[in-house]
Amino acid sequence: MDPKIFFKLSYGLYVVGSHKDDAINGQIANTVFQITNEPATIAVSLNKNNLTNEFVSASKVFSVSILPKSAPLDLIGHFGFKSGRDIDKFQSKSFKKGVNGSPVLLEHSTGFLEAEVISSLDVGTHTVFIGKVINSEVFNDEEPMTYAYYHQIKRGVTPPSAPLPTPALVKEEKTLKGVNIEMQKFKCTVCGYIYDPAKGDPDSGIAPGTAFNDLPDNWVCPVCGVGKDQFESLS
């Protein structure tokens, strides 16, 4: 089986939020889709190991904040590669609690939906929650970010708990013949982000053509925030 076929399917990128008692949490998800129109229902797929899955299972409600193309990598990394068991993910973010009590992201969002769980399906590593939409709002006309755009343009990576195979685990042929040392790519050993000198890191002020060894000492992974010492050469 060729796992790269799954990247041909269309996905978006979202922050799915929920609550349990007074605690709130949210996570990145790429599997959110509409089921029916009347009544309006949507489905989300969440890894069983994630705190958000626990919250949705307990409260039977969730929110979906839709990320636009302009959403920065560090926001995606914040919600996708950090655990709500360790930090309050919304503490430093602009948000509000929706009508069902779930957190709704107000920054870097093109709109949101809120839903009440009416059914769920155990699919092994994940739970698919089906919810009846009870509220929604459009914030702006920004184009939503697709999973393909996230990988191809943003050069982001997939959290290990996502339902899709991690691109870093998809084998690619590599050769050392003719490698330009200055243009070697380096991979973050924590989240899998790949620094490509040819593209640099414009969002962090790093111009294209900047070799990894020439990056400032205080440069950090734009996805998960670790330092240069957590990167390894792909050569």
Side-chain angles (χ1 to χ4, degrees), residues 73 154-157 180-189 191-216 219-223 226-228 230-235:
L73 273 179
K154 292 282 190 177
R155 293 176 287 126
V157 293
N180 182 341
I181 301 299
E182 291 299 310
M183 298 306 287
Q184 284 185 9
K185 297 178 182 179
F186 283 73
K187 183 181 74 173
C188 176
T189 58
C191 72
Y193 169 82
I194 296 176
Y195 176 78
D196 183 352
K199 298 179 179 179
D201 180 14
D203 289 343
S204 301
I206 306 300
T210 303
F212 183 82
N213 290 336
D214 293 333
L215 292 172
W219 180 84
V220 297
C221 175
V223 175
V226 299
K228 291 172 60 179
Q230 298 296 313
F231 279 71
E232 63 181 11
S233 172
L234 287 181
S235 298

Side-chain angles (χ1 to χ4, degrees), residues 3 9 30 57 59-60 81-82 85 105 109 117 135 139 143 157 161 171 175 179 189 217-218 222 228:
L9 299 177
N30 58 12
S57 297
S59 65
K60 304 300 181 184
F81 288 92
K82 296 181 180 179
R85 295 183 175 89
L105 194 65
S109 174
V117 175
N135 188 34
F139 291 151
E143 188 173 352
V157 293
S161 59
K171 295 182 179 179
T175 176
V179 169
T189 58
D217 291 337
N218 62 352
K228 291 172 60 179

Side-chain angles (χ1 to χ4, degrees), residues 26-190:
Q27 67 163 79
I28 291 293
N30 58 12
T31 309
V32 177
F33 52 95
Q34 184 177 359
I35 302 293
T36 61
N37 186 45
E38 291 291 342
T41 57
I42 58 175
V44 301
S45 178
L46 303 177
N47 191 286
K48 291 179 180 177
N49 294 327
N50 290 359
L51 186 63
T52 307
N53 186 310
E54 177 185 323
F55 281 19
V56 176
S57 297
S59 65
K60 304 300 181 184
V61 295
F62 62 88
S63 63
V64 177
S65 297
I66 303 171
L67 301 184
K69 284 184 174 181
S70 61
L73 273 179
D74 60 357
L75 179 133
I76 298 170
H78 179 79
F79 283 100
F81 288 92
K82 296 181 180 179
S83 173
R85 295 183 175 89
D86 301 323
I87 64 170
D88 179 352
K89 293 188 182 181
F90 284 93
Q91 184 176 23
S92 61
K93 305 302 177 185
S94 176
F95 76 98
K96 69 176 181 179
K97 288 187 177 181
V99 296
N100 68 8
S102 298
V104 171
L105 194 65
L106 298 178
E107 59 180 288
H108 306 298
S109 174
T110 188
F112 70 91
L113 305 98
E114 294 181 76
E116 296 177 343
V117 175
I118 58 175
S119 182
S120 63
L121 178 65
D122 187 324
V123 289
T125 59
H126 289 64
T127 305
V128 176
F129 295 100
I130 300 175
K132 178 181 178 181
V133 178
I134 60 172
N135 188 34
S136 64
E137 184 178 346
V138 175
F139 291 151
N140 53 60
D141 294 327
E142 286 195 68
E143 188 173 352
M145 186 186 302
T146 63
Y147 184 74
Y149 183 90
Y150 170 61
H151 280 288
Q152 296 167 10
I153 307 300
K154 292 282 190 177
R155 293 176 287 126
V157 293
T158 307
S161 59
L164 294 179
T166 302
L169 300 182
V170 178
K171 295 182 179 179
E172 296 179 358
E173 294 184 1
K174 297 181 178 69
T175 176
L176 292 177
K177 185 177 181 180
V179 169
N180 182 341
I181 301 299
E182 291 299 310
M183 298 306 287
Q184 284 185 9
K185 297 178 182 179
F186 283 73
K187 183 181 74 173
C188 176
T189 58
V190 176

